[in-house]
Amino acid sequence: MFSIALSLISVSWAAELEVTPPAEFTDSAALQEATRLLEEEIKLATRPQIYALIDLATNVILIKGRGVELHRSSIEKWSASDRSRLATLYRLRERPQIHRRKINPTAGAEQDPISLVDMPATFPLKFSPPLAVLVLANTDGNPWQWTLQRGRVWWHWLMAWGEILRTGDLLPPPSLDLTVSLDDAQSLAWTVTEGMPFLIHRPTP
């Protein structure tokens, strides 16, 4: 009787979650992925915490709490090194680095606080277990911004290969590159916190 009641509670709780997207019942791989995602999200939604869902199937990044969508960002394009290994819960190791403004000693105490425009537009996110996510803002054809971004990307990959050579690990951690708008990139940098849980919904072939 207890197991039946527990099942009913779980189903009721799952019904309240804003889980996306629904799986096609004729697609066993999609159904299995949706089931995995639902089980992981139910665990997160039972606690008072903010978590992120990177939905590669519908190209959105969702910031959620208690299963309710709080913020949505569109993914313009993405690439992954090995999507088969993205089937677990990740926790962010540290927030993106912020280039803080220099304090002007002659301006007095009333100086503008850090705001969204101070957030980086291109930044790496490192997770535990190992996962490297690189967030890239759309440069909208600006050649100068594109050059700066490419330099950051190349530096990111250089550091990643340096870590592989240093540790001698022949199987590097999975990586995921996400291109979003400038506003969405800076909003994500503003929102994420150390230890924040991340889920990834993988598209089925």
Side-chain angles (χ1 to χ4, degrees):
M1 179 65 70
F2 177 75
S3 60
I4 296 176
L6 183 60
S7 299
L8 291 175
I9 292 173
S10 300
V11 170
S12 175
W13 178 257
E16 297 178 1
L17 288 176
E18 298 178 6
V19 177
T20 54
E24 293 291 340
F25 289 102
T26 57
D27 188 340
S28 59
L31 182 58
Q32 184 179 10
E33 177 69 6
T35 301
R36 177 193 68 83
L37 192 68
L38 177 60
E39 291 175 348
E40 292 285 2
E41 189 167 358
I42 288 176
K43 296 175 186 177
L44 293 176
T46 56
R47 301 177 181 177
Q49 61 182 341
I50 304 299
Y51 60 93
L53 169 60
I54 301 176
D55 195 331
L56 302 178
T58 58
N59 292 322
V60 294
I61 302 173
L62 302 176
I63 304 299
K64 307 180 76 172
R66 292 288 195 180
V68 178
E69 180 181 323
L70 305 176
H71 183 75
R72 173 183 293 252
S73 300
S74 297
I75 301 173
E76 299 184 7
K77 61 180 180 179
W78 62 270
S79 63
S81 63
D82 188 356
R83 70 174 70 176
S84 65
R85 297 168 61 195
L86 302 178
T88 188
L89 172 68
Y90 296 94
R91 291 192 179 274
L92 187 63
R93 286 165 47 186
E94 59 183 7
R95 296 189 64 183
Q97 293 185 353
I98 301 173
H99 299 290
R100 300 182 181 274
R101 305 176 192 172
K102 293 183 178 180
I103 298 177
N104 184 358
T106 64
E110 296 299 327
Q111 299 191 42
D112 293 335
I114 294 177
S115 64
L116 194 63
V117 297
D118 297 308
M119 297 297 106
T122 298
F123 52 90
L125 297 174
K126 296 182 179 180
F127 294 87
S128 180
L131 167 68
V133 173
L134 184 61
V135 179
L136 306 164
N138 190 332
T139 58
D140 292 324
N142 186 312
W144 174 243
Q145 293 294 332
W146 183 88
T147 302
L148 289 176
Q149 187 181 87
R150 289 301 96 188
R152 295 190 183 101
V153 171
W154 293 332
W155 175 254
H156 170 75
W157 286 115
L158 181 62
M159 295 296 292
W161 278 106
E163 182 67 14
I164 293 173
L165 294 175
R166 185 184 67 83
T167 60
D169 189 354
L170 298 180
L171 183 63
S175 63
L176 176 62
D177 292 357
L178 303 171
T179 300
V180 298
S181 70
L182 175 61
D183 289 343
D184 285 340
Q186 292 179 314
S187 177
L188 183 62
W190 177 277
T191 303
V192 298
T193 58
E194 182 179 347
M196 185 173 178
F198 275 69
L199 289 172
I200 299 176
H201 180 210
R202 304 168 300 171
T204 54

